[in-house]
């Protein structure tokens, strides 16, 4: 099976990401300012908590964009806010010719957007779709929507920019795992969840073009729509730990592929790494035993479902069905394939659970 997973950061690159973020924090939080849980309410002149504004400035500097804003609703809320700033109700959105992530599909339906599809794996197809349909904006998911996706985020965004097309990247599951996210590759906006980066539940980020981010901010006038300073500080603290933790996870995945491909578990036909949606280990069995393996694995310590997909609450490994978008592409995967996310566990723990789950069938 041919796959094109995203290139994970090496441990050295991940450490440099952490060090870069901390250096920027030092510039924005002198002295004991960072030893602050965060303020609340609409500070006069800012119409938001002061600490929230300072965290947003750190994020803008870190991702090298003019502006960033923290929003309610985690990654979904960020995408919703970003699309609302880019498009009016009923306008046309260019998307990849693949199943949309379910929550994104709901947003498109709520906004009454007209979807135009192009195969992002073929840049000529993207160009033809733009020339033919003249969409008002494009949405590109950084991680893979189909198991055989191979597109380069930077190259597809360059095609959008060639035609002057505004774009939003769904960078969920990619931030702090890869070298650059969408806004660093030229996209109008990047959107992602802080919950997936060891932050609090419900906090999202929209980063990129100043005018567009300001349009997002304009829709957050009321106090109840603000991210409070306490939440903002918690999100920033979590972000600091994300790159190294995810680099460790990537190393565990590489080790597991080598073990499984060498026959460590006889029931396994093949194992490989894919972005589905987070970068995980996909395990295919010789027989249709996937659902039985999942049922057994949870009794041996594996998590049976995600909380926030790599949130701070998820410590044991996750043994789970293949993602919904992958299953839409090939429903037969449900019976013969599972995905494993190491989370904070080591390779030997996962091998033990997998071996015992298969032996007990």
């Amino acid at each position: 099976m041919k796959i094109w997973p995203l290139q994970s950061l090496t441990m050295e690159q991940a450490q440099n990401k952490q060090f870069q973020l901390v250096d920027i924090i030092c510039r924005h939080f002198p002295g004991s300012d960072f030893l602050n849980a965060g303020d609340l309410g609409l500070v006069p002149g800012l119409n938001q908590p002061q600490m929230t504004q300072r965290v947003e400035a750190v994020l803008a500097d870190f991702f090298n964009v003019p502006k960033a804003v923290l929003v309610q609703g985690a990654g979904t809320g960020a995408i919703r806010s970003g699309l609302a700033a880019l498009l009016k109700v009923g306008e046309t959105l260019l998307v990849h010719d693949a199943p949309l992530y379910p929550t994104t599909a709901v947003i498109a339906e709520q906004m009454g957007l007209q979807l135009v599809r192009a195969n992002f794996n073929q840049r000529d197809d993207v160009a033809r779709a733009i020339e033919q349909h003249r969409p008002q904006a494009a949405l590109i998911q950084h991680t893979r929507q189909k198991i055989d996706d191979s597109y380069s985020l930077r190259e597809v965004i360059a095609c959008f920019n060639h035609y002057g097309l505004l774009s939003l990247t769904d960078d969920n599951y990619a931030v702090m795992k890869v070298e650059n996210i969408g806004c660093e590759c030229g996209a109008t906006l990047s959107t992602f969840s802080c919950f997936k980066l060891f932050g609090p539940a419900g906090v999202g980020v929209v980063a990129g073009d100043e005018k567009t981010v300001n349009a997002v901010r304009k829709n957050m006038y009321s106090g109840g729509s603000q991210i409070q300073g306490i939440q903002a500080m918690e999100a920033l603290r979590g972000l600091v730990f994300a790159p190294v933790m995810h680099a460790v996870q990537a190393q565990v995945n590489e080790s597991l592929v080598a073990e499984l491909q060498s026959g460590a578990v006889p029931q396994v036909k093949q194992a490989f790494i894919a972005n589905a949606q987070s970068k995980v280990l996909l395990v295919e069995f010789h027989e249709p035993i996937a659902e039985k393996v999942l049922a057994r694995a949870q009794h041996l310590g594996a998590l049976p479902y995600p909380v926030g997909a790599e949130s701070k609450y998820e410590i044991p490994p996750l043994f789970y069905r293949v993602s919904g978008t992958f299953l839409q592409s090939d429903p037969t995967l449900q019976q013969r394939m599972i995905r494993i996310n190491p989370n904070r566990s080591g390779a030997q723990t996962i091998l033990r659970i997998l071996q015992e789950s298969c032996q007990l069938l």
Side-chain angles (χ1 to χ4, degrees):
M1 187 176 292
K2 189 66 174 174
I3 54 169
W4 289 266
L6 302 179
Q7 181 61 52
S8 294
L9 295 175
T10 65
M11 184 58 70
E12 182 179 4
Q13 289 172 322
Q15 289 174 332
N16 287 336
K17 284 275 188 189
Q18 175 184 310
F19 299 155
Q20 178 191 0
L21 179 55
V22 173
D23 185 69
I24 293 170
I25 289 172
C26 292
R27 298 172 189 274
H28 286 268
F29 289 86
S32 62
D33 286 8
F34 194 75
L35 302 178
N36 188 317
D39 59 330
L40 303 168
L42 304 178
V43 174
L46 299 179
N47 199 56
Q48 66 176 137
Q50 185 181 63
M51 284 299 181
T52 302
Q53 186 191 58
R54 293 172 73 174
V55 170
E56 290 171 347
V58 169
L59 294 172
D61 282 358
F62 181 73
F63 292 111
N64 196 30
V65 291
K67 285 278 189 175
V69 58
L70 294 166
V71 300
Q72 299 281 3
T76 301
I79 295 169
R80 181 184 294 111
S81 298
L83 288 177
L86 290 174
L87 294 158
K88 297 177 181 177
V89 172
E91 288 191 324
T92 302
L93 178 68
L94 176 66
V95 298
H96 182 32
D97 187 16
L100 275 180
Y101 194 67
T103 53
T104 305
V106 170
I107 295 168
E109 182 179 352
Q110 289 173 335
M111 291 185 66
L113 299 178
Q114 305 299 311
L115 299 181
V116 171
R117 297 183 181 273
N119 184 355
F120 287 178
N121 301 306
Q122 303 292 332
R123 275 171 287 167
D124 289 346
D125 197 48
V126 177
R128 279 194 297 270
I130 295 172
E131 291 173 356
Q132 180 178 352
H133 299 282
R134 298 296 173 182
Q136 282 72 48
L139 165 71
I140 180 169
Q141 184 173 302
H142 196 146
T143 60
R144 304 313 191 190
Q145 291 172 255
K146 296 189 298 184
I147 206 163
D148 59 349
D149 276 342
S150 61
Y151 58 80
S152 160
L153 183 78
R154 188 179 292 275
E155 290 177 3
V156 177
I157 291 172
C159 184
F160 297 156
N161 291 342
H162 175 75
Y163 289 94
L165 182 64
L166 302 174
S167 60
L168 180 147
T169 54
D170 173 356
D171 286 296
N172 287 295
Y173 308 103
V175 180
M176 293 302 198
K177 296 182 181 180
V178 299
E179 188 61 36
N180 297 115
I181 62 171
C183 61
E184 297 172 293
C185 296
T188 311
L189 294 177
S190 275
T191 57
F192 59 90
S193 167
C194 292
F195 193 39
K196 295 174 176 28
L197 297 161
F198 310 122
V203 177
V205 175
V206 181
D209 171 71
E210 182 171 9
K211 179 181 177 182
T212 315
V213 172
N214 284 342
V216 174
R217 164 66 59 196
K218 187 178 179 181
N219 292 328
M220 298 168 59
Y221 179 81
S222 68
S225 66
Q226 302 288 336
I227 295 298
Q228 300 300 323
I230 294 173
Q231 297 170 288
M233 292 298 291
E234 188 180 349
L236 184 56
R237 286 192 294 269
L239 196 65
V240 170
F241 293 96
V244 172
M245 288 294 96
H246 287 315
V248 172
Q249 181 176 294
Q251 289 181 342
V252 172
N253 271 330
E254 295 287 351
S255 175
L256 285 166
V257 167
E259 292 272 7
L260 292 171
Q261 290 293 82
S262 66
V265 181
Q267 293 85 353
V268 172
K269 178 180 179 181
Q270 64 173 337
F272 49 92
I273 296 169
N275 288 89
Q277 285 74 37
S278 47
K279 196 168 188 179
V280 294
L281 179 71
L282 295 184
V283 177
E284 183 179 6
F285 301 103
H286 289 287
E287 303 294 333
I289 59 173
E291 292 182 338
K292 293 179 180 178
V293 169
L294 293 179
R296 285 298 311 158
Q298 64 180 291
H299 293 291
L300 297 169
L303 296 177
Y305 51 81
V307 179
E310 302 174 335
S311 72
K312 61 184 179 182
Y313 304 111
E314 293 159 275
I315 305 299
L318 171 73
F319 279 52
Y320 198 41
R321 61 168 176 77
V322 179
S323 71
T325 49
F326 275 29
L327 288 177
Q328 287 183 50
S329 300
D330 184 357
T332 67
L333 294 177
Q334 185 165 352
Q335 299 300 323
R336 56 188 173 88
M337 186 178 288
I338 65 172
R339 58 172 154 166
I340 298 174
N341 191 324
N343 289 324
R344 310 284 72 81
S345 68
Q348 292 309 308
T349 298
I350 293 166
L351 284 173
R352 174 182 62 79
I353 293 173
L354 187 57
Q355 288 167 342
E356 292 183 17
S357 296
C358 290
Q359 289 168 0
L360 292 170
L361 294 179

